[in-house]
Amino acid sequence: MEAESKSKVHLVKQSRPQSTDTGSHPGQTESANMDPSKQAVRAVSSEEVLAKLRDEVELGGHGASHVFIILGASGDLAKKKIYPTLWWLFKDGLLPANTHFIGYARSNITMEQIREKSLPFMKVQKEEEAKLEEFFKLNSYVSGKYDVKDDFVRLNEAIEEKGKSNRLFYMALPPSVFEIVTLNVKNCCMAQGDKWTRIVVEKPFGKDLESSNKLSAHFASLFKEEELYRIDHYLGKEMVQNLMVMRFGNRIYGPIWNRDNIASVVISFKEPFGTQGRGGYFDEFGIIRDVMQNHLLQILTLVAMEKPPSTDAEDIRNEKVKVLKSIPPPSMENVVLGQYVGNPEGKGEEKEGYLDDPTVPKGSVTPTFATVALFVKNERWDGVPFILRCGKALNERKAEVRIQFKDVAGDIFRAGEVKRNELVIRVQPSEAIYMKMMAKTPGMSIDCEESELDLTYGSRYRGVKMPDAYERLILDVFMGSQIHFVRSDELSEAWRIFTPLLHHIEREKPTPIPYIYGGRGPAESDALFSKNDFMYTGSYKWKPGVPMKPSL
Ligand SMILES: NC(=O)C1=CN([C@@H]2O[C@H](COP(=O)(O)OP(=O)(O)OC[C@H]3O[C@@H](n4cnc5c(N)ncnc54)[C@H](OP(=O)(O)O)[C@@H]3O)[C@@H](O)[C@H]2O)C=CC1
Ligand SMILES: O=C1O[C@H](COP(=O)(O)O)[C@@H](O)[C@H](O)[C@H]1O
């Protein structure tokens, strides 16, 4: 059963719709059984793509019924992400027919209350109200404790009422109860016979190598690896998924994707807000655990890995693990840590520094900003810095990858005129890929100037709506595809890389460099970029859509 569903998934992976709008766009339905020569020119409307995917979801589900169980249904993640995502998948007809949803949490609340809490995040259109009623008719709620076996027996009874079903358990829970809850699920709630059970786990997956390995060992004692889906929601983002297609679906990048041509790689994440009253939670983890050890490192593996033998999940994850194994822990001279302070000229929350958050322990040295240069010690990458940078309370929301190429050898132009090529993959906001390159200044001039090859999704795929990362990932769980989920050995390697630095911070408590809320972070971070061969000139200017005078 499991194997059968995986082969169908493969088809789905190839034909995943990029859009849920009504516009059409070319070349986006590469299906394994289509004539490849026709793919590039075939224009397919989203409805057509969705219909195809619906068929495949049905096939993947083999007409079976499914129960999706939200553990922690009363919580923040459930209301903000999980219920809304299930609704979006449901309304687009992307869930297998006959799917039911059961919430489980300690609170003595009703499904009506969960509905009220989730509604503001569900973006329901007026004309969708009847569909919404249908969705909530398929929902129910069971109240029970996390450490009481009998309560899970009751949960199991509620699942059994839906008939013989495949079961998906989503752990929208604090890590403190991961172990006891999974134990109770294993003892009381597993699907029987030919039906499968899948467990979706949200980070944090431990706090360091030791605690993460302990948690992994616990999971491994209960479930097979193919039953476990560790979510890193960055792996569900369009441009992160695009990295593989861009690298391995184009002839042009292969020969230059190495230490001979690439000077440095920057992978960054910036958020324009602080801890927003959740400093108590954040303080236990800090920005390295929150973003760098998972999201940024996952992106790094996709940039640096060798071409896998196929697009199967195990082949891809094997390559990602090899990259991680080649990365030694960073040394302190390649680390900059920062913590935001209030901006006296800012508005509202901007005036408040991290330490002003009443939920943050007094005098905390937890970093809210970090830049770390890592090195992949293998034949392809030896000596190329991978600079990871992330921070809260900065000047903008942005996640991107910058691949900066080496200087042109034997330059024949005016000194300093030719600038480095840089390939930018903007993950968010406004997905784009652009390659900064030199071009002749148009017209009579024979000068060179900085220009770009620009794939801006907003104009190339006009009107296309990108699905949310959670939509893609939850659908993947239904379909049994683990391509975009983190395997236990990947996780362990990721912790191996960062644990020495995290322990150093906890032991030595280095004072983070203060930076102003709403700024670019500490200047020392830019200095670390320069030291690691990322050259910022400030000379590049983007001129989108400037119309040219027609030529004679
Ligand atoms: N398709 C599209 O939509 C395209 C959009 N553009 C836009 O054009 C604008 C410029 O492009 P971009 O590639 O960012 O051009 P630049 O090379 O000029 O990079 C600007 C970025 O460099 C960073 N920076 C500033 N000072 C330093 C420093 N001292 N050391 C290192 N980095 C520094 C800043 O980002 P940070 O604070 O993050 O370090 C800044 O945003 C951007 O807004 C971009 O989005 C360009 C091309 C295509
Ligand atoms: O995992 C996390 O990610 C979010 C940012 O996610 P995004 O999809 O909005 O970019 C971050 O705010 C949070 O601190 C972190 O735990």
Side-chain angles (χ1 to χ4, degrees):
M1 196 70 173
E2 193 83 349
E4 223 182 310
S5 121
K6 273 188 188 147
S7 66
K8 287 294 170 200
V9 166
H10 209 72
L11 201 63
V12 169
K13 296 314 300 175
Q14 309 273 339
S15 59
R16 167 64 51 84
Q18 305 293 306
S19 123
T20 49
D21 79 331
T22 50
S24 58
H25 51 99
Q28 299 211 326
T29 56
E30 269 184 65
S31 145
N33 52 9
M34 269 174 65
D35 174 357
S37 64
K38 297 202 182 104
Q39 288 165 14
V41 289
R42 190 164 174 256
V44 181
S45 79
S46 292
E47 254 321 304
E48 203 181 321
V49 175
L50 280 179
K52 190 162 167 26
L53 185 58
R54 279 176 205 130
D55 286 349
E56 286 164 2
V57 168
E58 275 310 315
L59 282 171
H62 305 286
S65 56
H66 294 75
V67 183
F68 191 102
I69 302 106
I70 303 126
L71 299 162
S74 57
D76 209 52
L77 180 68
K79 80 171 175 200
K80 285 190 182 147
K81 282 285 175 201
I82 311 309
Y83 280 106
T85 303
L86 292 170
W87 156 242
W88 296 324
L89 290 171
F90 176 80
K91 82 179 165 81
D92 280 340
L94 287 176
L95 296 179
N98 206 10
T99 298
H100 289 84
F101 314 94
I102 302 180
Y104 181 91
R106 288 175 308 181
S107 314
N108 193 13
I109 50 173
T110 60
M111 199 54 232
E112 197 46 46
Q113 285 167 295
I114 294 182
R115 175 178 172 153
E116 285 307 307
K117 286 201 319 176
S118 310
L119 262 181
F121 303 95
M122 292 171 82
K123 300 182 205 145
V124 183
Q125 307 296 314
K126 191 99 199 96
E127 64 279 9
E128 293 169 343
E129 276 168 11
K131 193 92 190 157
L132 187 73
E133 290 309 315
E134 249 179 76
F135 173 69
F136 277 109
K137 276 204 188 110
L138 297 167
N139 271 273
S140 54
Y141 177 75
V142 174
S143 162
K145 298 220 165 60
Y146 295 124
D147 55 355
V148 176
K149 197 173 167 191
D150 286 350
D151 290 352
F152 281 81
V153 171
R154 279 195 299 111
L155 172 61
N156 188 51
E157 285 161 7
I159 302 169
E160 279 176 352
E161 275 172 27
K162 312 295 174 201
K164 272 185 83 188
S165 311
N166 296 321
R167 301 174 179 200
L168 300 85
F169 289 88
Y170 199 106
M171 308 254 295
L173 289 166
S176 52
V177 295
F178 279 3
E179 294 201 10
I180 187 65
V181 168
T182 44
L183 185 67
N184 280 324
V185 167
K186 176 70 184 180
N187 287 336
C188 313
C189 300
M190 297 296 278
Q192 303 299 318
D194 64 350
K195 298 289 171 260
W196 48 252
T197 301
R198 294 178 184 149
I199 314 285
V200 190
V201 197
E202 277 277 347
K203 77 175 169 73
F205 311 120
K207 286 191 76 178
D208 58 9
L209 181 61
E210 197 188 342
S211 54
S212 171
N213 282 351
K214 181 171 168 280
L215 187 62
S216 291
H218 168 80
F219 285 151
S221 72
L222 303 177
F223 308 108
K224 291 184 274 203
E225 185 64 27
E226 60 265 31
E227 291 174 320
L228 283 168
Y229 289 72
R230 293 178 197 82
I231 283 223
D232 182 314
H233 78 281
Y234 266 62
L235 293 178
K237 293 194 186 257
E238 178 71 22
M239 300 311 275
V240 175
Q241 298 195 347
N242 201 5
L243 281 166
M244 276 216 355
V245 179
M246 209 195 73
R247 286 192 57 201
F248 304 125
N250 290 299
R251 177 71 187 244
I252 54 172
Y253 295 116
I256 56 171
W257 211 258
N258 53 41
R259 64 193 297 275
D260 298 334
N261 296 284
I262 293 176
S264 55
V265 177
V266 173
I267 303 172
S268 50
F269 164 97
K270 294 166 81 179
E271 243 174 13
F273 47 83
T275 47
Q276 299 183 312
R278 294 182 67 230
Y281 165 82
F282 182 88
D283 202 75
E284 242 196 89
F285 295 94
I287 197 74
I288 295 174
R289 288 187 179 97
D290 195 42
V291 172
M292 190 178 282
Q293 179 269 353
N294 36 66
H295 308 327
L296 299 193
L297 197 59
Q298 281 294 326
I299 296 178
L300 183 154
T301 60
L302 292 166
V303 172
M305 74 181 189
E306 297 300 314
K307 188 179 193 163
S310 78
T311 56
D312 282 355
E314 296 322 317
D315 284 341
I316 295 170
R317 300 194 295 182
N318 287 344
E319 294 305 330
K320 288 167 75 187
V321 170
K322 281 191 217 159
V323 171
L324 294 170
K325 282 189 167 163
S326 306
I327 303 177
S331 54
M332 273 318 275
E333 73 263 19
N334 276 323
V335 175
V336 169
L337 304 173
Q339 191 183 73
Y340 67 89
V341 294
N343 179 354
E345 280 152 32
K347 292 185 235 105
E349 204 205 61
E350 294 163 15
K351 288 188 188 298
E352 309 275 300
Y354 180 67
L355 294 179
D356 299 322
D357 181 335
T359 63
V360 169
K362 286 215 170 349
S364 164
V365 291
T366 297
T368 58
F369 176 101
T371 300
V372 174
L374 295 176
F375 291 86
V376 183
K377 299 270 185 193
N378 66 15
E379 199 172 355
R380 183 183 289 276
W381 294 114
D382 201 8
V384 179
F386 283 77
I387 306 161
L388 310 192
R389 176 192 57 175
C390 47
K392 299 234 167 218
L394 294 173
N395 59 337
E396 60 184 333
R397 173 172 184 255
K398 184 170 82 173
E400 65 180 19
V401 181
R402 279 177 194 261
I403 292 148
Q404 196 171 84
F405 291 86
K406 291 190 170 177
D407 294 318
V408 170
D411 187 9
I412 56 169
F413 298 101
R414 240 196 325 255
E417 200 172 26
V418 169
K419 304 291 186 322
R420 286 181 167 185
N421 292 128
E422 194 172 291
L423 178 65
V424 183
I425 297 137
R426 195 167 55 220
V427 174
Q428 64 189 33
S430 314
E431 294 88 343
I433 302 176
Y434 53 99
M435 170 71 96
K436 294 189 204 165
M437 49 168 255
M438 300 305 298
K440 179 186 162 298
T441 307
M444 296 297 273
S445 155
I446 52 153
D447 293 341
C448 334
E449 67 171 34
E450 289 177 276
S451 190
E452 67 282 310
L453 291 176
D454 178 5
L455 173 57
T456 300
Y457 273 50
S459 50
R460 178 63 176 79
Y461 302 113
R462 204 176 285 274
V464 169
K465 180 192 146 254
M466 298 295 170
D468 181 79
Y470 276 86
E471 271 181 271
R472 293 172 199 259
L473 296 176
I474 289 184
L475 192 56
D476 280 349
V477 184
F478 272 95
M479 300 303 295
S481 170
Q482 292 188 307
I483 294 181
H484 303 117
F485 294 84
V486 181
R487 205 168 64 187
S488 70
D489 50 349
E490 264 183 273
L491 183 63
S492 177
E493 287 299 324
W495 281 118
R496 176 193 58 73
I497 294 165
F498 283 104
T499 295
L501 171 60
L502 292 164
H503 284 180
H504 172 88
I505 295 171
E506 273 144 21
R507 207 175 44 243
E508 306 294 329
K509 302 200 183 316
T511 309
I513 302 163
Y515 63 95
I516 300 262
Y517 195 130
R520 288 190 52 252
E524 288 80 349
S525 168
D526 287 341
L528 190 61
F529 276 46
S530 312
K531 188 183 114 183
N532 281 292
D533 207 10
F534 182 85
M535 294 202 1
Y536 171 73
T537 58
S539 56
Y540 171 74
K541 297 280 173 283
W542 185 46
K543 295 176 195 154
V546 181
M548 261 178 70
K549 290 208 176 100
S551 19
L552 294 172

